[in-house]
Amino acid sequence: DICENIRTAQLPSTLTSIGSSAFGGGLEGDLVLPDSVKTIGYSAFFSCKNLTSLTCNAKTIGDMAFQDCGITKVSFGSSLQSIGGQAFFNCPIRDVTYDGTKAQWDAVSKGTLAFSSSITSAAYHFSSAGSSFADVRSTDYFAEAVRWAVENSVAAGVSSGIFAPNNSCTRAEVVTFMWRAAGSPSSGTYSVLR
């Protein structure tokens, strides 16, 4: 049987895979899969005509997983390793965001006819900040601020590949960020009284 007219589906954050034909034909709107989902099975969302966008961090997307869906916008995490044959065939995708570099995107295994020919005219967006920190994805609301802070030498993260965006800042760190954002002015004696 085919699911129909499912407007929302709350998937648990512990879900690791979505099986074959799980939601065929039924989901509508925007689909944001939990980061825990690493595998999307064969025809899992086949023919969800009213599904308009997809955000996922899966490693593997199976054959025909989203074939014949109405998806116009997709966002993939940098952990993506393979997209099965006809996975997005007949989807009118116009916008692709990948949380990594173009070279990493090109290295993702893509099965035969994984996308329709319209994908060649889609707008591609690759992330520089999101791909350098394991805990910052290009789809995070703060990703642009992290990119700006790194590019302007205001912040560099807490260790190699970790930015820790959910950590609290100490007063000293906030002062340091402000000092760097102001161009790291030299120290000296300043008087507020004249």
Side-chain angles (χ1 to χ4, degrees):
D1 292 329
I2 293 179
C3 303
E4 290 186 8
N5 303 319
I6 299 174
R7 294 177 203 270
T8 60
Q10 188 162 0
L11 303 175
S13 62
T14 55
L15 184 66
T16 58
S17 69
I18 296 175
S20 298
S21 304
F23 292 96
L27 286 181
E28 297 181 2
D30 302 324
L31 176 61
V32 178
L33 295 176
D35 286 344
S36 58
V37 173
K38 300 303 175 196
T39 305
I40 300 171
Y42 172 86
S43 293
F45 297 91
F46 180 84
S47 197
C48 289
K49 302 276 187 206
N50 295 317
L51 189 60
T52 56
S53 72
L54 167 68
T55 301
C56 79
N57 200 34
K59 288 184 179 182
T60 305
I61 298 174
D63 292 344
M64 299 170 55
F66 294 93
Q67 182 176 341
D68 293 329
C69 288
I71 297 172
T72 59
K73 181 178 181 179
V74 292
S75 181
F76 299 114
S78 61
S79 61
L80 183 62
Q81 295 174 356
S82 68
I83 299 172
Q86 298 185 8
F88 292 92
F89 192 74
N90 282 340
C91 293
I93 297 172
R94 294 188 297 269
D95 194 79
V96 178
T97 299
Y98 177 68
D99 197 20
T101 65
K102 183 178 183 326
Q104 290 171 314
W105 171 254
D106 291 342
V108 172
S109 172
K110 298 170 190 82
T112 305
L113 298 172
F115 296 97
S116 297
S117 59
S118 64
I119 196 75
T120 57
S121 61
Y124 283 84
H125 311 278
F126 300 102
S127 171
S128 57
S131 63
S132 61
F133 296 108
D135 54 353
V136 179
R137 295 177 53 195
S138 64
T139 54
D140 289 331
Y141 74 92
F142 50 79
E144 183 63 21
V146 169
R147 184 196 59 73
W148 178 88
V150 171
E151 286 180 359
N152 290 284
S153 300
V154 172
V158 297
S159 65
S160 179
I162 303 294
F163 193 83
N166 295 319
N167 284 10
S168 297
C169 292
T170 65
R171 188 174 295 155
E173 289 169 330
V174 171
V175 169
T176 301
F177 296 150
M178 291 170 52
W179 175 73
R180 289 176 181 165
S184 305
S186 61
S187 62
T189 305
Y190 298 96
S191 176
V192 292
L193 304 172
R194 295 227 180 223

